[in-house]
Amino acid sequence: MNAAIFPCKNDPLPMTIWDLYNNYKGAYAPEEFQRPESWSNKERKAYFLSVLMNRIEGTFVFVDVEIAADRVGSIDPTDISFTYFNNLLKQMIEKIILEGNNRLKFFESLLNDEYTIPSGSYYYLPDPHSTSLTQFVVGKHNNVFSKLPKLVQKAIKSRKVIVSEYTQIDYKGLSDVFVNVNSGVPLNVQELRNALHTPWAAYVRQMRKELAPLLIKMFGNKYKKRLVGDEWIVDTIDMILNNYCKDEKISDYEINGVTQTSKNKLYVSNYSNFDEKKFTSQFSVLASYIDTMIDDGWENLSEKVILRKSSVTDLFWMINNGIDTYSQAVEALHLHEEAYLDKDLRNDADESFKWACGGTGTKNMEFRMQVLPEIVENAKAKVSV
């Protein structure tokens, strides 16, 4: 953090939902410092009920980009945050949101009539001083905000939230504030890694976008929630980089478990040593192979099997370690499934290959590095280029 550009903010202010909507709609949520929008319909309804009952909690945290850029420019225009803020201004982005993005997006969709309110009977508190609740009914004829009873609309618009706005902050300060405001809902390890100012974080976010169709197939539409898709990408990269053949003549393998510690080390390692183009290309090949396998409907390879997390991860390792064609990949995945279901294929600790595929620790990787190279060799022998 630049000591001269310490974070400064205005005093937190109570603000109506209507004013929040008008003053901050469209606020930019940087992927580095904000959880992606990921609420389910269940979570949206729960929050809607809390609004009706005037039980809204949590502060909205913003940064005034224009003022922040001006202050950084007057203190140290060489600081990375000066370029960062000015690039946002060029895109007509005036506000950054560091906390409350899912809530803000919900208010935007509600007040824009984009949110369809589930049918049913609802109770609401007409105003904070009311001593009784009032009931209203939502059906197909009035299931958006503008069609609700006028008094319900008025009550929702007048609900108050707390807004905190930073006017001076540097790039690292953005990360620190994001981490601090999430202390009540602790960030998981991947969310913390994502907030690091490192090219690794930027690369993984970019791959999440490029691999979105594959990630959706694997994890559903919740692939961004708690950055589960990002973590899988990091798992596969870490596995490739730390489990490889040191000497083909004697099949001597470097073997390391994929752990939170190893992934943290990856994010602070020298990115210039990483072959970004090769990995990006191989990820693209992987996604293409998976799509084609599903479309082809291969016998004995159901979509569930093809999209099993360990199947996709191990196939990516094999693509990076000898599998050269789609036909070889299909054969390799068939052999992988045979090994997965083989109860007699066990290691010295009497653990099955299926067990090995269920984790990424050192012992799991030791067994996988015994089986996967053999699968690659057999697949290549059966299916020539």
Side-chain angles (χ1 to χ4, degrees):
M1 179 181 292
N2 189 325
I5 314 174
F6 50 88
C8 294
K9 65 177 183 177
N10 296 324
D11 290 336
L13 293 173
M15 184 178 295
T16 66
I17 287 176
W18 187 242
D19 286 338
L20 174 78
Y21 168 74
N22 285 295
N23 293 339
Y24 294 100
K25 62 182 175 183
Y28 174 61
E31 290 184 304
E32 307 97 306
F33 315 119
Q34 182 55 274
R35 289 184 171 110
E37 186 183 359
S38 57
W39 272 7
S40 65
N41 289 332
K42 181 179 179 180
E43 290 166 320
R44 292 186 183 93
K45 182 179 179 181
Y47 194 60
F48 178 64
L49 294 175
S50 72
V51 173
L52 293 178
M53 299 301 291
N54 199 29
R55 295 172 183 168
I56 309 171
E57 302 295 345
T59 301
F60 290 83
V61 180
F62 296 94
V63 175
D64 188 309
V65 178
E66 189 171 18
I67 295 176
D70 181 68
R71 291 193 177 180
V72 171
S74 65
I75 298 171
D76 183 3
T78 66
D79 190 89
I80 186 175
S81 57
F82 182 68
T83 302
Y84 179 73
F85 289 138
N86 277 286
N87 284 338
L88 294 179
L89 290 173
K90 290 177 183 177
Q91 301 172 58
M92 307 300 289
I93 295 171
E94 298 179 355
K95 304 289 185 181
I96 287 176
I97 183 166
L98 293 178
E99 171 64 4
N101 186 48
N102 280 300
R103 287 173 283 149
L104 179 63
K105 294 303 181 186
F106 172 77
F107 286 140
E108 290 179 4
S109 65
L110 174 66
L111 298 176
N112 285 334
D113 282 353
E114 295 173 1
Y115 175 63
T116 301
I117 303 167
S119 298
S121 297
Y122 294 87
Y123 288 91
Y124 78 104
L125 199 67
D127 67 71
H129 305 292
S130 299
T131 57
S132 62
L133 302 176
T134 302
Q135 186 180 32
F136 67 98
V137 177
V138 171
K140 292 183 178 180
H141 66 289
N142 67 334
N143 58 3
V144 293
F145 178 79
S146 66
K147 294 182 180 180
L148 293 176
K150 295 300 180 184
L151 289 179
V152 177
Q153 293 182 40
K154 182 178 180 180
I156 291 174
K157 285 183 177 180
S158 64
R159 297 293 192 241
K160 289 187 177 180
V161 297
I162 301 299
V163 173
S164 180
E165 184 172 281
Y166 281 81
T167 55
Q168 178 175 298
I169 195 167
D170 69 352
Y171 194 89
K172 187 175 185 303
L174 293 170
S175 176
D176 290 344
V177 169
F178 169 59
V179 171
N180 291 338
V181 297
N182 280 283
S183 58
V185 183
L187 300 169
N188 65 32
V189 185
Q190 184 56 39
E191 288 171 324
L192 287 169
R193 284 192 287 264
N194 181 61
L196 295 174
H197 180 43
T198 163
W200 285 106
Y203 178 73
V204 172
R205 287 193 296 270
Q206 180 59 34
M207 290 313 304
R208 180 217 303 157
K209 295 176 182 177
E210 296 187 19
L211 293 174
L214 173 61
L215 296 175
I216 290 172
K217 289 183 178 74
M218 293 176 66
F219 302 105
N221 290 325
K222 294 183 178 180
Y223 72 97
K224 290 192 215 177
K225 192 166 188 177
R226 305 309 305 267
L227 300 184
V228 62
D230 295 49
E231 182 146 34
W232 175 79
I233 293 169
V234 180
D235 286 340
T236 60
I237 294 174
D238 198 39
M239 179 178 174
I240 304 303
L241 293 179
N242 292 301
N243 294 273
Y244 56 90
C245 185
K246 296 187 293 184
D247 190 335
E248 293 184 4
K249 293 181 180 180
I250 58 174
S251 297
D252 183 22
Y253 277 81
E254 176 73 23
I255 301 174
N256 293 280
V258 176
T259 65
Q260 296 298 351
T261 298
S262 71
K263 288 181 283 189
N264 288 340
K265 289 181 178 178
L266 175 69
Y267 265 61
V268 296
S269 65
N270 189 344
Y271 188 79
S272 63
N273 294 331
F274 176 61
D275 194 340
E276 177 183 321
K277 289 185 178 179
K278 176 187 174 184
F279 270 78
T280 301
S281 174
Q282 297 292 55
F283 271 125
S284 178
V285 168
L286 172 70
S288 174
Y289 285 178
I290 294 293
D291 279 345
T292 307
M293 287 182 196
I294 292 173
D295 291 341
D296 287 349
W298 283 94
E299 185 179 356
N300 298 327
L301 282 181
S302 67
E303 186 169 333
K304 182 178 179 180
V305 168
I306 295 171
L307 293 173
R308 185 188 296 130
K309 183 178 174 181
S310 59
S311 299
V312 181
T313 302
D314 286 352
L315 180 58
F316 188 66
W317 185 91
M318 291 188 285
I319 289 172
N320 280 272
N321 288 273
I323 293 299
D324 298 315
T325 68
Y326 172 68
S327 296
Q328 289 178 353
V330 171
E331 181 62 27
L333 208 53
H334 271 108
L335 294 172
H336 186 277
E337 185 62 11
E338 289 178 10
Y340 187 86
L341 297 176
D342 187 351
K343 295 180 180 180
D344 295 325
L345 180 58
R346 312 186 82 82
N347 62 8
D348 293 339
D350 200 33
E351 301 283 6
S352 67
F353 181 64
K354 181 177 180 179
W355 166 84
C357 292
T360 59
T362 301
K363 293 298 181 181
N364 302 77
M365 285 301 167
E366 285 177 353
F367 198 1
R368 284 160 90 164
M369 288 304 109
Q370 292 175 30
V371 176
L372 296 183
E374 184 176 344
I375 290 177
V376 171
E377 183 179 343
N378 290 338
K380 290 173 71 71
K382 187 170 183 179
V383 182
S384 58
V385 178

